[in-house]
Amino acid sequence: MKRQPCGCVSRRGWTDVRSRLCVAATLAAFALIGCDAEMAEDPQVEDGAPELEAIFSEAMQYRTRVVMLGTGTPNADPERSGPAVAVVIDDQAFIFDAGPGVVRRASKAARDLEIPSLGAGRLNRVFITHLHSDHTLGLPDLTLSPWVLDRPDRLQVVGPPGIGAMMDHIIMAYGADIDRRINGLEPRDANRDAYLPEVTETEGGVVYDQDGGRIEAIPITHGDWPFSFADKVTGPDRTIVISGDAAPSSPIIDACNGCDLLVHEVYSGERFVTRPPEWQSYHSVFHTSPTELVDIATRAGAQKLVLYHQLYWGTDDAGLLAEMRAAGWGGPLHSAVDLGVY
């Protein structure tokens, strides 16, 4: 239902991003290979942390690539912005979920990774997997900040039933700000109405199909949410499936079906047992363990697996990667970091 408005990076750019990753020493799997340190001896760590520059260079050879704008969860991890994944097809960026920090992470990718389609003024399409706050707190930012920075067109928002009401209330909440910007002294004639989002509510199916890209919202299971989606992106040279938040869901297997890249959430199975019983009950029906994810990725025939929205609970990237290997995943595997390109 449509709702009307209510290449290759420079050495300098790569060095900037590599420096940021090196500072993030808590990301153990990547810290071991950053900052000119020697490669780790542990093959489990090496599996998830090959040379970051090589990962980046490989990804940038494709017309269709993933840029992790945020790999976080509701936990306030300063190294990980809220969940937001960009798929860039040629010079068009598609954003999946809008966690806290999405616009600034995109701007950093545009500057440091030299991906101009992620510049603030060009962020004009977002696909929301479900209405949890950690996936939507960046929507006011994504709606208004690029508009203030002269985005010429309105934000196209696709999401489950209820996203229209959320966007309506965002516009209402910022009414005073919007009024001053369009009726005050700002020169706003060129994009006066571009703050108004154009919203499409969906219960699943193809939600975009043009200019060499096709996006399908895949209904999946995320606890008791009535509508929650994974997204399948078919570009000119790669097929990518992004799980969103998901308990084990067979539609993800069917959607991937040999996909080039499966980006999937995960929690630590080893640390799960340390959680209070009520939270164990919650996470077991809302999220996916390494053992479950290995089964999903294997049955899906995923060519490469990228972990995101990682729930560590005291472990780290190296620990999660070790759990995935112990559970039987033998294919290419990365534990994503913010601004990682895959």
Side-chain angles (χ1 to χ4, degrees), residues 74-95:
N75 297 315
D77 184 341
E79 299 299 334
R80 296 179 179 271
S81 288
V85 180
V87 176
V88 179
I89 301 177
D90 295 329
D91 61 352
Q92 174 67 57
F94 304 90
I95 310 298

Side-chain angles (χ1 to χ4, degrees), residues 204-218:
V206 176
V207 292
Y208 181 90
D209 191 0
Q210 61 188 43
D211 301 327
R214 186 176 190 267
I215 299 172
E216 185 177 359
I218 312 294

Side-chain angles (χ1 to χ4, degrees), residues 159-184:
I163 189 64
M166 181 177 285
M167 297 308 300
D168 287 345
H169 283 89
I170 287 171
I171 298 303
M172 289 174 60
Y174 287 90
D177 171 81
I178 293 166
D179 178 68
R180 285 302 82 211
R181 294 189 187 279
I182 63 177
N183 297 315

Side-chain angles (χ1 to χ4, degrees), residues 174-196:
Y174 287 90
D177 171 81
I178 293 166
D179 178 68
R180 285 302 82 211
R181 294 189 187 279
I182 63 177
N183 297 315
L185 298 178
E186 288 190 17
R188 192 56 58 193
D189 290 344
N191 70 340
R192 181 181 178 89
D193 295 330
Y195 71 90
L196 287 167

Side-chain angles (χ1 to χ4, degrees), residues 144-302:
L144 298 173
S145 296
W147 168 61
V148 170
L149 298 173
D150 296 325
R151 180 183 61 207
D153 46 359
R154 298 174 179 181
L155 180 65
Q156 306 291 314
V157 182
V158 178
I163 189 64
M166 181 177 285
M167 297 308 300
D168 287 345
H169 283 89
I170 287 171
I171 298 303
M172 289 174 60
Y174 287 90
D177 171 81
I178 293 166
D179 178 68
R180 285 302 82 211
R181 294 189 187 279
I182 63 177
N183 297 315
L185 298 178
E186 288 190 17
R188 192 56 58 193
D189 290 344
N191 70 340
R192 181 181 178 89
D193 295 330
Y195 71 90
L196 287 167
E198 295 185 359
V199 182
T200 301
E201 293 192 342
T202 181
E203 296 184 7
V206 176
V207 292
Y208 181 90
D209 191 0
Q210 61 188 43
D211 301 327
R214 186 176 190 267
I215 299 172
E216 185 177 359
I218 312 294
I220 51 87
T221 299
H222 182 43
D224 54 0
W225 278 99
F227 296 100
S228 191
F229 304 125
D231 286 289
K232 179 178 182 178
V233 184
T234 305
D237 55 351
R238 294 172 98 192
T239 299
I240 296 162
V241 174
I242 304 165
S243 70
D245 281 7
S249 300
S250 59
I252 291 177
I253 297 171
D254 298 335
C256 176
N257 190 27
C259 62
D260 298 283
L261 189 62
L262 175 59
V263 180
H264 204 292
E265 65 121 90
V266 70
Y267 66 78
S268 169
E270 291 184 359
R271 300 298 298 175
F272 176 81
V273 297
T274 69
R275 302 289 288 160
E278 60 271 23
W279 281 109
Q280 290 187 29
S281 297
Y282 173 86
H283 288 297
S284 65
V285 296
F286 277 79
H287 297 291
T288 302
S289 72
T291 300
E292 292 166 335
L293 180 51
V294 168
D295 178 65
I296 291 166
T298 300
R299 292 166 60 196

